[in-house]
Amino acid sequence: MSTLERGLGRRSGRRHGGGPLGGALHAEWTKLRTVQSTGWLALGIVALTVGLGLAMTGTLSSDGCGTPCAEDTVRLSLFGVRLSQAAVVVLAVLAVGNEYATGMVHTSVMALPRRAWALAGKFAVVAGTVLVAATVAVGVSLLVGRWVLPGRGFTAANGHPPLSLADEPTRRAAIGTVLYLVLIGLLSAGVAVLVRDTAGAITGVLVLLYIAPLVASLVSNARWERRLHRYAPMDAGLAVQVTRHLQPPDIGPWAGLGVLGVYAAAAVVAALVVFEVRDA
């Protein structure tokens, strides 16, 4: 049976181009799209991002905020990412963890000449799926904000022209938010490989994301509070959404996203190394 699987894996790579990686991408995409939870979780990413963003902008009022109003309406429109990232974590962990739970991981690695190709294909498919869902979620959130905010008093007259990707800070926040969710997906997938337990991986990543802001709110030392915001993956990564400097930032927008990128890269590289040398 293993000989047949290896043969099928090699033929799949030739058929879909790109050698072993092409075959891995095709196989991982086939597996991911045939899992019922994938579609629901992708829909959840969009619904949670748009829904919470609408709740924030729909209840906002420009009354009493001054002229020009200092509210960061772009960041508020994209606020739902703080919740929808949980759906990204679950999607990415299930994409990896389900194979450990069912034992299918053994078949995956036997069908390819090198184990790392199977995992690289899985990471690429997870990143691509999250990229599509995140792009839709961010785009719709900004459209909803553009539609809702003028009715709440946020108009060009008080310093808030309609949200538009033609505006550089808005475009940076939109692109950065999409990349943020992709990096969260890669971080989660990497942790799932290292932990090899679905519940443990989901819990671990969610704690990593949400615990630092909670701890920072309880810390009385201003220096340590700033350090937590600067180096915690969620706080640092979401600095890319800031378009108005309401207060001195703890870290710059792209530098903050870079901090999250280091977390994600460390998880992915560690997962590739461990997956190559450890028994599946």
Side-chain angles (χ1 to χ4, degrees):
M1 180 175 175
S2 61
T3 303
L4 175 60
E5 288 166 339
R6 284 193 291 269
L8 287 174
R10 285 191 288 269
R11 284 198 294 272
S12 177
R14 289 194 296 268
R15 185 183 306 120
H16 300 283
L21 183 57
L25 288 170
H26 175 74
E28 295 303 332
W29 169 239
T30 300
K31 285 186 282 188
L32 188 63
R33 69 183 175 83
T34 53
V35 176
Q36 188 175 14
S37 62
T38 301
W40 287 109
L41 287 168
L43 182 61
I45 294 169
V46 177
L48 291 172
T49 303
V50 175
L52 187 55
L54 176 59
M56 295 296 293
T57 56
T59 57
L60 196 63
S61 175
S62 64
D63 295 340
C65 73
T67 303
C69 186
E71 289 283 4
D72 193 336
T73 51
V74 175
R75 192 178 191 186
L76 291 173
S77 296
L78 300 174
F79 193 83
V81 166
R82 293 174 180 268
L83 182 58
S84 66
Q85 65 182 342
V88 173
V89 172
V90 175
L91 187 155
V93 170
L94 288 180
V96 175
N98 274 348
E99 289 206 344
Y100 283 103
T102 61
M104 280 293 295
V105 65
H106 299 288
T107 302
S108 296
V109 299
M110 288 166 61
L112 288 168
R114 289 193 60 187
R115 289 168 149 220
W117 289 123
L119 193 56
K122 195 178 296 291
F123 285 155
V125 167
V126 167
T129 302
V130 174
L131 176 65
V132 172
T135 300
V136 174
V138 168
V140 174
S141 294
L142 291 177
L143 285 175
V144 169
R146 181 184 176 93
W147 172 61
V148 170
L149 286 166
R152 307 302 300 173
F154 292 91
T155 61
N158 69 358
H160 283 278
L163 301 185
S164 171
L165 292 178
D167 176 57
E168 193 281 327
T170 302
R171 185 169 61 251
R172 181 251 298 156
I175 295 172
T177 300
V178 172
L179 293 177
Y180 173 87
L181 289 176
V182 171
L183 290 173
I184 292 295
L186 290 172
L187 170 64
S188 304
V191 171
V193 174
L194 297 173
V195 175
R196 295 201 293 186
D197 177 74
T198 300
I202 291 173
T203 301
V205 176
L206 291 180
V207 167
L208 179 64
L209 293 176
Y210 291 114
I211 197 66
L214 177 61
V215 172
S217 67
L218 300 175
V219 171
S220 58
N221 186 294
R223 179 180 296 179
W224 278 102
E225 180 182 3
R226 178 167 179 155
R227 285 177 179 172
L228 284 170
H229 287 305
R230 183 188 290 265
Y231 299 115
M234 183 172 79
D235 282 352
L238 288 179
V240 78
Q241 292 184 340
V242 176
T243 62
R244 290 178 179 246
H245 296 291
L246 305 182
Q247 57 187 5
D250 296 305
I251 192 168
W254 292 117
L257 197 64
V259 169
L260 176 60
V262 170
Y263 278 93
V268 167
V269 171
L272 288 168
V273 171
V274 169
F275 193 72
E276 189 72 35
V277 301
R278 185 175 63 185
D279 288 341

